Amino acid sequence: MFLCLSFLTACTGGFTAKELGISSESDPIDPNPVGPNPSAFDFATAKNILQTSCVACHKAGGSAAYLPLDLNTEDDFLSAGLVIKGKPLESNLIKRLRHHGAANSNMPPQGIAFTSEDYSNLVGWVQNITSNVTQTIGQFTCAADANPEPDQMLRLKKQEFIAALNSILSLTDPRYVADITSVLSVNSFLDLIPDDYGGDDYNSFDQTISTVHVENYYKSIEAFASLLTQSFGSGDSRAKYIVTKYSAAIGGLSGSTLLNCLLTTKAASESCYKNFIKAFGLASHRKVLTTADIDFYYSKISLAETKATVHRKLITYMLSSPEFIFRLETHGAGEVLTPDYKKLNNFEIASRLSYTFWGDMPDLTLFDMAINGDLTADADFQLALQHIFSVTNQAKIKNKLKNFYADYLLFTKIPQLNAFNTPEFNNFASGENINVSGFNHRTDMINEIYDMFDYYTWQQPSDFSEVIKTRKVFAKTQALAKLYGDVGKIWDGTNNLTYPSSDRAGLLTRVGMHATGEHLTSPIHTGVFILRKIVCDDVGNPPPITEEDLIVNYTPDMTTRQKVHALTVEGKTNCATCHDKFNPFGYALEKYDALGRTHNGGENIYNTDGTIAKKVPVDYTTVVKFAGQDHNISSPEELSDKLAASPLPNICYTKNLFEYFKGRKVDFKNDGCDLLDINKKLSATEGGNMQEAFRSFSSLKGFRFKKVN
Amino acid sequence: MKYDKINRRMFLQGSGKLALMVPFMGSLLTRTSEAAGVIKPRFIFMSAQNGGQRHEQWFPLTSPTTSMPLYTSHNYHMDPISFNASTGISPIFDSKFNSFISKMNFIKGLDQRFSSFGNHNGAPLLGNVRAAHSTMGFCPSIATIDQLMAYSNNFYPNNGDGYVRSISINPNANTRHSGYYFSNPTTKTGSIVYVPSVQTANAIFRALFDNTSATAVPMGNTPLVDGVLDDYKRIRNSRELSSTEKTKLDEYIDKLAQLEIKLTTDVVPNIPQCRNLVAPPTSGGNEIQNIDLILDMIILAFQCDRSRIATIHFNKVNGRGEGGSMTVGDWHWASHNTTDPLGMQINLDIYKWIADNALYPLINKMNAVVESNGLTMLDNSIVHFATASAHSAHNPKNLPTLLFGSAGGFLKTGNYIDYVNRGATSFGKPAEYGILHNQYLTNIMTAMGLNKSDWNMKNLGFTKNGFPTNAEGYGWYTNVDGSSGNDPRYSKSESQINNPLPGLISASGLTKFV
């Protein structure tokens, strides 16, 4: 049993010793001849197993003839796509076989000879298959034949859509500036636009276009157009000021000529409306419109209509255009870097910069650079980048990064404290003023972590491993400092207070990472979080649960750790395979309670009336597995320090950063070159830090080009 | 703020001060396009997170004993629903449900074949088992039955033009969506994407009736969607776009065209009670009040025939969240500890809360509306109440299912039907199994007027492992070539996938199967 588990947990998910370049001495593959035999991890062995157990059905004329197995050569078999080289847990072949032998196993059918050793040998074979590699760092490789996915036309995310409307609105006269979400909040359709939803992935992946999206984008724009053209008397409107600024940016009409055009009290004319279209087009289409574009929108209005109506219609049409709703990249100069990479034009580069780093449309300065400069050239591109990262624009960048951290670290899942208002919790949290007016511990907890990332990104640029191990104090409120046990340790934004080296090492030990909303901790979910988000390993599939699995013999004096272990590991063959991977990470953090406080002499066991029945000692020593090795852990600080000493956190951060900002899953082989570049910019050993890693998106090979098929 | 029932009703008053009383006579509400007396079947699906509901808490305490043959060596059992006058049917469905027994069906023994997961949203129970979890990738996403109905000309009249095809509701979150459909719905092409959920009665109302923002200057009766459509077509055809990008614009165009119909067609029946309504408040009060308002919106949508489908999924009830944790005592923990007394009690409390505060008010409101065929709205509908997984967490077998209504007499009602093959063995071991949940889903779709051309996997072009499926039924229940593969437990159910479920379908219902 131990051999089987150690093999699965150490070898089959995430980054292995081999991927990390760890020497064979520490290779997790157990050489014990009783277990899987690494010498059998080859195609010959795999072929023999597959022929014995699978080909009877998976052949022409067999019951699974739809999926014949071609075992002629290893390449022939691999071409079917059933395995991903070096990634057993991502390979369909292994996924289907994973529950072999269980009553509800997918494959092979019961009655077919297939042993655990067969399975292990197949896993080992898939694990050992490697790609052609030209350069390697950690698990990222820049393959000579890397071929990333084509760039897709992206729908504006809900927040990007709202940000763009606000950016346009911000250009009006200061008297009329307002945040659109407040101006249109009552019965507006903005709130009916679905929030972006990535399911199991980042919300930034969401490109869904439902009827609900389309209807409420349209209605929001219609309402926005009415807002911009609302009359303030004497023909004055918000649109007047906005269009004036865009007109100036593109060198259009000015002075009284422009004013006569914009004032609704003045006579209308074709040239006037066409100038309106041209000017507003910079906002709506993020480019200078062509004559054909201008003529198209002009064809949609009539000189017989009132000027206010025409303006409102034009704004509605133009903001509803796919040029606004989507990030169209179609008007490049046609030049190519390679046949697969088409050169973007100035406006498209400006939009890429602003949406990548701000989550918003270009501002007037970027538009000016696009109109009068050459963003395809390095010199002007660097100027644009300086503007993007200038102090005046840092709030936009920080906001974009905040959204990433919220999604990456699952801040939205930090529960409301005292969610259930139980007697146990009320006693447990007594004296902390949870949910008391004037206190907001949950917000404080989240802000502490934002501040930590902000500090190591901007004030003291560092890599992610520093976040994992730092002792520096970031608690800004007395209430939060009290949870840490020292109300004197408060961060004022500049001081350099630290926790003792034996306490509070890094992100995982901060109170927000432990809040469950109840009086008990959740080592399972803490463990899963670390496995997925810090070491990027695969959790695995929950198996079907049997009645036997549900039988748990809890005793009254069990700690949370002991209960979790009894529920998921002890005698639970089905469950333990995966839980043995992640539970130990959670066990190591059981030093803290469900408000992140250090347990005071043990874990309190509560009666249902909230009184304390007893206090029991907490054990947070454990053995965790990462980077293909077992690590003895005696404290949370040791866990943090050992993680920080490994390349895994930086590698995992790189992967997550890439996925969030690219809006899609990583493809390790084909995105390897980009991942390698970002990881170099992140790693302190390479002189990098989190700020440089973020900036490095602008210098990736494809940033100023559109990758096509 | 104290909740004021009378004020809550005020929003239903029109400008002509004609109060929309709930209920009011459905006979007034026949669309001009449909003859009086035509049954308008409605489908409502209600589910909740996590699952793991013990059968003894859900099903009637007395199991059916009358045995009837289902297949060779597989009998099913059916009896009228038993109940106790004072304690009701079961711990979840207490005595207030007694008066509805003649309109209910409990169904036991519905199994999902491939899902090894419980369901963290409603979609798997509506057929899309992929939505349960990312690791269900071997069963790719497919359209759910509510959306197959929503876009079927066999369900909505007039091609569904102008209808709000479905109302997808999650009172607590704008994630965990129940419905999934093609990104290009009218052509049934493209990827499978979620149908967004709404959270409030106000949002439902505005989707049903309101075309302008209250704070904006109205555009009058001249929606500009036609011009926007022209722009999309112009750009689609004039720019250098990949086929994928063109497809994306096509999807947008398709939905703009639907929006144009909605905005330019007077789709609200010419009935005073359905016009000039004032939106309910954006905040619906406390949890129970918000749910009650939402239920009122569903009834209003059905009465005014603005929609005929609603799905409601709960991932938070009575202060208990879906459970990001496995903390002892939370909902998620309880679903994994269904033999633990505390786990059982929590599960019972949660489902009883839903039954008391959402299900019962819903069926009560529906039963109070008499429609033009003389039956109540409840009689003309199917209300499907289900739990996310069966008996224990991550268990897709023997899914507890409860139905109300008969779809206008399509279903027989009042029975507890158990399809479990009692005492069966599989691969030489004792094995409790029933019939495929997929067969139940095809029966429900048939009750709603659909036929196999609407759901046939082969026709819909779904692929599995890159291979087009050859299955004649709905959902992932066979191998892609339509063969039963290697699981003899379900081979007979597979062969009956589009056939009526014995015991459930009435004589008149049987005539609808083709």
Side-chain angles (χ1 to χ4, degrees):
Chain A
M1 183 61 192
F2 166 74
L3 293 172
C4 174
L5 282 184
S6 65
F7 174 77
L8 286 171
T9 53
C11 303
T12 59
F15 309 123
T16 65
K18 180 171 181 169
E19 290 170 322
L20 293 166
I22 294 169
S23 68
S24 59
E25 284 79 9
S26 58
D27 195 305
I29 297 167
D30 198 313
N32 189 325
V34 177
N37 179 3
S39 67
F41 295 170
D42 55 21
F43 180 63
T45 304
K47 180 178 179 178
N48 188 38
I49 295 167
L50 294 168
Q51 277 181 327
T52 303
S53 302
C54 308
V55 169
C57 299
H58 288 276
K59 66 178 182 183
S63 62
Y66 59 91
L67 189 56
L69 300 183
D70 185 348
L71 295 168
N72 190 30
T73 67
E74 187 173 42
D75 283 345
D76 287 340
F77 184 76
L78 296 178
S79 67
L82 291 170
V83 302
I84 298 172
K85 295 175 181 177
K87 299 290 178 189
L89 279 187
E90 295 172 28
S91 300
N92 280 334
L93 176 75
I94 303 301
K95 285 180 182 176
R96 297 302 305 275
L97 292 168
R98 189 159 186 187
H99 299 304
H100 62 90
N104 294 316
S105 78
N106 290 311
M107 285 288 156
Q110 295 202 18
I112 299 291
F114 187 83
T115 66
S116 292
E117 189 171 353
D118 290 337
Y119 175 73
S120 299
N121 285 332
L122 288 176
V123 170
W125 164 60
V126 175
Q127 184 72 53
N128 276 358
I129 308 170
T130 55
S131 308
N132 294 328
V133 169
T134 56
Q135 192 179 358
T136 301
I137 178 172
Q139 96 296 3
F140 300 138
T141 58
C142 185
D145 58 347
N147 182 26
E149 275 186 27
D151 290 321
Q152 294 300 324
M153 177 184 73
L154 299 174
R155 168 179 66 76
L156 291 192
K157 308 286 183 296
K158 180 178 182 178
Q159 291 310 316
E160 292 172 341
F161 177 82
I162 292 172
L165 296 187
N166 266 325
S167 288
I168 295 170
L169 188 57
S170 71
L171 296 181
T172 192
D173 188 87
R175 290 171 297 167
Y176 309 136
V177 171
D179 185 296
I180 188 167
T181 52
S182 63
V183 174
L184 296 181
S185 62
V186 179
N187 279 351
S188 91
F189 294 95
L190 281 176
D191 62 328
L192 295 187
I193 297 171
D195 285 350
D196 292 308
Y197 172 60
D200 308 314
D201 298 313
Y202 281 117
N203 291 334
S204 64
F205 288 12
D206 190 1
Q207 283 294 306
T208 301
I209 302 167
S210 70
T211 53
V212 183
H213 285 91
V214 172
E215 178 168 349
N216 292 297
Y217 273 141
Y218 174 78
K219 288 179 174 176
S220 296
I221 289 166
E222 198 178 48
F224 183 68
S226 295
L227 188 76
L228 294 194
T229 54
Q230 179 185 346
S231 173
F232 295 112
S234 304
D236 201 8
S237 69
R238 290 184 173 91
K240 185 186 85 173
Y241 300 95
I242 293 166
V243 173
T244 299
K245 288 181 179 163
Y246 283 117
S247 182
I250 59 175
L253 297 177
S254 62
S256 60
T257 308
L258 177 64
L259 197 61
N260 284 338
C261 278
L262 295 174
L263 284 177
T264 54
T265 50
K266 302 290 183 181
S269 69
E270 177 177 340
S271 64
C272 193
Y273 282 146
K274 286 190 171 178
N275 277 295
F276 181 99
I277 294 167
K278 186 175 181 183
F280 195 75
L282 195 57
S284 61
H285 289 48
R286 302 185 284 274
K287 66 170 186 175
V288 175
L289 298 188
T290 64
T291 302
D293 289 332
I294 294 169
D295 289 344
F296 172 80
Y297 293 111
Y298 182 72
S299 73
K300 296 296 175 189
I301 53 100
S302 163
L303 287 173
E305 295 174 297
T306 68
K307 221 171 188 179
T309 300
V310 169
H311 288 169
R312 202 165 71 235
K313 279 188 170 181
L314 287 173
I315 292 170
T316 302
Y317 283 131
M318 295 171 74
L319 289 179
S320 297
S321 167
E323 300 268 16
F324 182 75
I325 302 288
F326 293 93
R327 290 168 56 190
L328 280 178
E329 294 174 336
T330 63
H331 358 267
E335 296 177 48
V336 295
L337 176 68
T338 67
D340 282 351
Y341 285 90
K342 297 201 70 175
K343 197 171 182 178
L344 300 178
N345 68 19
N346 281 355
F347 291 102
E348 291 164 344
I349 292 172
S351 284
R352 272 215 183 174
L353 281 169
S354 68
Y355 277 107
T356 298
F357 295 110
W358 294 346
D360 196 357
M361 63 184 286
D363 63 2
L364 288 173
T365 304
L366 273 180
F367 277 136
D368 180 60
M369 290 178 172
I371 293 167
N372 299 307
D374 180 7
L375 297 182
T376 67
D378 287 343
D380 282 358
F381 182 76
Q382 289 306 320
L383 284 176
L385 206 55
Q386 280 178 26
H387 174 66
I388 287 280
F389 280 88
S390 65
V391 174
T392 53
N393 289 316
Q394 217 170 58
K396 292 182 187 175
I397 291 181
K398 288 187 174 185
N399 189 52
K400 176 101 188 200
L401 280 173
K402 260 190 172 183
N403 289 336
F404 164 58
Y405 293 132
D407 222 358
Y408 174 32
L409 301 173
L410 308 175
F411 285 168
T412 56
K413 293 197 174 181
I414 293 180
Q416 293 300 324
L417 305 183
N418 195 13
F420 307 133
N421 193 29
T422 60
E424 295 96 318
F425 185 89
N426 289 330
N427 191 10
F428 163 75
S430 174
E432 302 293 357
N433 294 313
I434 304 294
N435 289 357
V436 172
S437 177
F439 293 85
N440 196 334
H441 289 77
R442 182 178 182 274
T443 301
D444 293 345
M445 288 172 173
I446 293 172
N447 285 339
E448 180 196 16
I449 296 170
Y450 280 142
D451 286 339
M452 182 188 289
F453 276 98
D454 190 80
Y455 180 82
Y456 288 115
T457 304
W458 304 104
Q459 292 191 44
Q460 188 67 45
S462 308
D463 67 8
F464 186 52
S465 61
E466 187 62 32
V467 173
I468 293 295
K469 69 184 180 190
T470 182
R471 267 70 173 175
K472 185 172 168 54
V473 171
F474 289 99
K476 268 186 173 170
T477 64
Q478 290 260 342
L480 210 57
K482 186 168 183 293
L483 295 179
Y484 283 106
D486 188 344
V487 294
K489 285 194 171 172
I490 292 179
W491 192 49
D492 63 5
T494 58
N495 62 15
N496 198 26
L497 300 174
T498 57
Y499 297 113
S501 61
S502 61
D503 197 14
R504 307 294 179 180
L507 173 72
L508 302 177
T509 65
R510 302 304 159 119
V511 292
M513 305 307 292
H514 302 273
T516 63
E518 303 193 50
H519 66 289
L520 294 166
T521 56
S522 181
I524 293 175
H525 285 80
T526 302
V528 168
F529 172 83
I530 295 171
L531 198 75
R532 282 183 169 158
K533 300 293 189 176
I534 308 299
V535 301
C536 281
D537 203 344
D538 184 40
V539 171
N541 296 3
I545 290 179
T546 65
E547 287 288 305
E548 291 75 27
D549 290 327
L550 296 172
I551 298 169
V552 185
N553 294 315
Y554 295 129
T555 57
D557 56 353
M558 276 181 160
T559 62
T560 301
R561 170 180 175 160
Q562 288 168 330
K563 286 180 180 173
V564 165
H565 205 67
L567 174 65
T568 60
V569 178
E570 285 173 359
K572 305 295 170 60
T573 309
N574 281 342
C575 309
T577 304
C578 298
H579 279 275
D580 247 359
K581 291 172 74 173
F582 47 77
N583 283 10
F585 286 107
Y587 297 159
L589 295 166
E590 281 295 281
K591 181 179 179 182
Y592 309 114
D593 69 17
L595 280 173
R597 300 171 300 192
T598 302
H599 278 301
N600 182 16
E603 179 180 342
N604 288 331
I605 306 295
Y606 290 87
N607 297 312
T608 53
D609 64 0
T611 56
I612 296 172
K614 61 177 69 173
K615 189 183 285 284
V616 291
V618 177
D619 176 14
Y620 45 86
T621 61
T622 188
V623 178
V624 299
K625 296 181 179 71
F626 61 87
Q629 289 181 294
D630 288 349
H631 301 268
N632 292 315
I633 302 295
S634 60
S635 70
E637 297 73 35
E638 186 177 11
L639 173 65
S640 294
D641 288 340
K642 285 188 171 175
L643 283 170
S646 149
L648 275 181
N650 278 344
I651 289 169
C652 195
Y653 181 89
T654 299
K655 170 185 175 284
N656 280 283
L657 192 72
F658 179 93
E659 291 192 334
Y660 182 84
F661 283 94
K662 284 283 189 179
R664 65 171 172 81
K665 280 285 208 193
V666 71
D667 171 348
F668 283 106
K669 174 175 182 283
N670 291 309
D671 295 322
C673 303
D674 284 350
L675 292 166
L676 201 62
D677 285 349
I678 297 168
N679 200 54
K680 279 182 179 174
K681 295 290 187 184
L682 172 66
S683 301
T685 53
E686 302 267 351
N689 55 59
M690 290 195 289
Q691 185 184 145
E692 287 304 314
F694 182 46
R695 279 176 182 265
S696 71
F697 278 87
S698 66
S699 58
L700 297 180
K701 176 184 174 187
F703 191 82
R704 279 183 272 174
F705 297 86
K706 181 178 183 181
K707 173 73 168 57
V708 294
N709 290 325
Chain B
M1 186 182 78
K2 192 177 176 191
Y3 179 64
D4 187 331
K5 189 88 173 171
I6 295 174
N7 281 343
R8 190 179 67 78
R9 291 285 180 211
M10 292 290 283
F11 75 85
L12 293 170
Q13 288 187 336
S15 58
K17 303 301 178 191
L18 291 168
L20 174 60
M21 301 302 290
V22 179
F24 65 96
M25 290 300 290
S27 57
L28 296 173
L29 292 176
T30 303
R31 271 180 177 249
T32 53
S33 58
E34 289 183 279
V38 168
I39 297 168
K40 296 188 290 266
R42 283 78 162 219
F43 177 69
I44 301 181
F45 169 78
M46 188 180 288
S47 66
Q49 201 76 4
N50 290 326
Q53 187 53 255
R54 300 295 299 182
H55 286 167
E56 59 268 30
Q57 293 175 338
W58 179 281
F59 286 107
L61 298 179
T62 305
S63 291
T65 56
T66 306
S67 178
M68 284 163 278
L70 183 63
Y71 316 122
T72 306
S73 305
H74 186 161
N75 281 15
Y76 73 101
H77 298 79
M78 183 172 102
D79 279 330
I81 297 167
S82 61
F83 67 101
N84 178 289
S86 58
T87 59
I89 302 164
S90 65
I92 294 175
F93 307 106
D94 64 18
S95 59
K96 73 169 75 64
F97 286 91
N98 288 358
S99 61
F100 284 96
I101 277 178
S102 65
K103 301 188 178 194
M104 300 166 79
N105 280 302
F106 281 93
I107 306 178
K108 192 175 182 184
L110 300 177
D111 301 350
Q112 289 175 342
R113 181 172 167 197
F114 285 115
S115 175
S116 62
F117 265 89
N119 306 304
H120 286 270
N121 57 42
L125 292 166
L126 293 168
N128 185 14
V129 294
R130 166 63 184 83
H133 196 272
S134 59
T135 50
M136 287 298 298
F138 61 88
C139 290
S141 236
I142 60 171
T144 48
I145 67 164
D146 57 312
Q147 297 306 305
L148 290 172
M149 295 173 200
Y151 285 92
S152 168
N153 292 339
N154 292 319
F155 183 77
Y156 277 119
N158 306 325
N159 300 319
D161 287 348
Y163 279 96
V164 174
R165 292 175 184 267
S166 64
I167 306 169
S168 180
I169 302 159
N170 184 333
N172 308 109
N174 52 7
T175 58
R176 306 294 190 192
H177 309 290
S178 295
Y180 282 76
Y181 202 57
F182 295 95
S183 56
N184 210 344
T186 55
T187 57
K188 293 184 172 61
T189 57
S191 55
I192 300 297
V193 296
Y194 66 84
V195 177
S197 301
V198 295
Q199 284 74 60
T200 66
N202 177 274
I204 298 169
F205 179 90
R206 281 185 284 155
L208 293 170
F209 296 102
D210 192 14
N211 290 331
T212 56
S213 165
T215 57
V217 179
M219 295 296 268
N221 294 318
T222 56
L224 309 180
V225 185
D226 54 343
V228 178
L229 266 171
D230 286 348
D231 201 10
Y232 271 79
K233 291 170 186 169
R234 176 180 75 98
I235 287 169
R236 185 214 183 276
N237 296 325
S238 65
R239 302 282 197 265
E240 188 177 323
L241 295 165
S242 69
S243 58
T244 308
E245 291 171 330
K246 284 185 176 178
T247 299
K248 210 166 188 177
L249 289 185
D250 287 341
E251 290 171 6
Y252 209 94
I253 288 168
D254 183 78
K255 294 173 179 72
L256 273 173
Q258 292 179 52
L259 177 62
E260 185 175 35
I261 292 168
K262 183 178 176 185
L263 296 183
T264 56
T265 308
D266 187 2
V267 291
V268 179
N270 191 22
I271 297 162
Q273 292 95 326
C274 294
R275 289 184 172 273
N276 302 315
L277 299 169
V278 177
T282 51
S283 172
N286 67 27
E287 194 175 1
I288 293 174
Q289 292 159 355
N290 185 45
I291 290 168
D292 202 46
L293 267 178
I294 285 171
L295 299 179
D296 279 348
M297 288 303 100
I298 293 171
I299 303 297
L300 187 63
F302 289 174
Q303 286 186 297
C304 295
D305 203 22
R306 293 291 296 116
S307 185
R308 297 181 180 183
I309 299 170
T311 63
I312 311 171
H313 181 73
F314 293 97
N315 62 344
K316 180 181 177 187
V317 291
N318 198 22
R320 287 195 185 274
E322 59 183 295
S325 73
M326 273 291 272
T327 303
V328 175
D330 84 4
W331 186 357
H332 189 215
W333 173 88
S335 73
H336 280 253
N337 286 269
T338 58
T339 57
D340 180 273
L342 177 60
M344 289 174 68
Q345 187 61 47
I346 290 170
N347 271 321
L348 172 60
D349 290 347
I350 288 170
Y351 279 89
K352 181 155 175 43
W353 191 96
I354 297 172
D356 288 349
N357 295 295
L359 182 64
Y360 181 74
L362 172 69
I363 59 171
N364 223 11
K365 289 170 193 280
M366 293 179 73
N367 201 45
V369 180
V370 179
E371 302 201 292
S372 61
N373 63 350
L375 299 176
T376 69
M377 180 185 285
L378 182 63
D379 295 326
N380 283 325
S381 306
I382 288 180
V383 177
H384 173 184
F385 184 52
T387 83
S389 61
H391 214 50
S392 55
H394 299 200
N395 185 346
K397 312 295 183 193
N398 219 336
L399 294 161
T401 303
L402 171 60
L403 303 182
F404 291 86
S406 68
F410 184 96
L411 304 181
K412 289 190 281 191
T413 52
N415 294 311
Y416 178 5
I417 311 169
D418 180 1
Y419 292 111
V420 170
N421 191 1
R422 297 177 183 174
T425 59
S426 178
F427 301 111
K429 299 176 184 173
E432 187 179 81
Y433 63 89
I435 62 171
L436 289 166
H437 187 255
N438 309 69
Q439 186 179 355
Y440 160 77
L441 296 177
T442 65
N443 275 235
I444 295 299
M445 287 189 279
T446 306
M448 293 291 119
L450 278 64
N451 60 51
K452 66 181 180 184
S453 67
D454 288 300
W455 67 69
N456 182 310
M457 296 286 280
K458 183 169 61 175
N459 288 358
L460 292 173
F462 292 120
T463 62
K464 193 173 176 183
N465 301 332
F467 291 85
T469 177
N470 199 33
E472 294 286 343
Y474 170 71
W476 296 125
Y477 65 97
T478 68
N479 291 324
V480 292
D481 64 351
S483 70
S484 62
N486 302 291
D487 194 338
R489 292 175 298 176
Y490 300 111
S491 59
K492 288 166 186 162
S493 185
E494 285 168 13
S495 68
Q496 301 291 315
I497 201 74
N498 293 329
N499 291 350
L501 281 169
L504 182 64
I505 309 302
S506 69
S508 64
L510 289 174
T511 65
K512 306 290 173 55
F513 285 83
V514 293

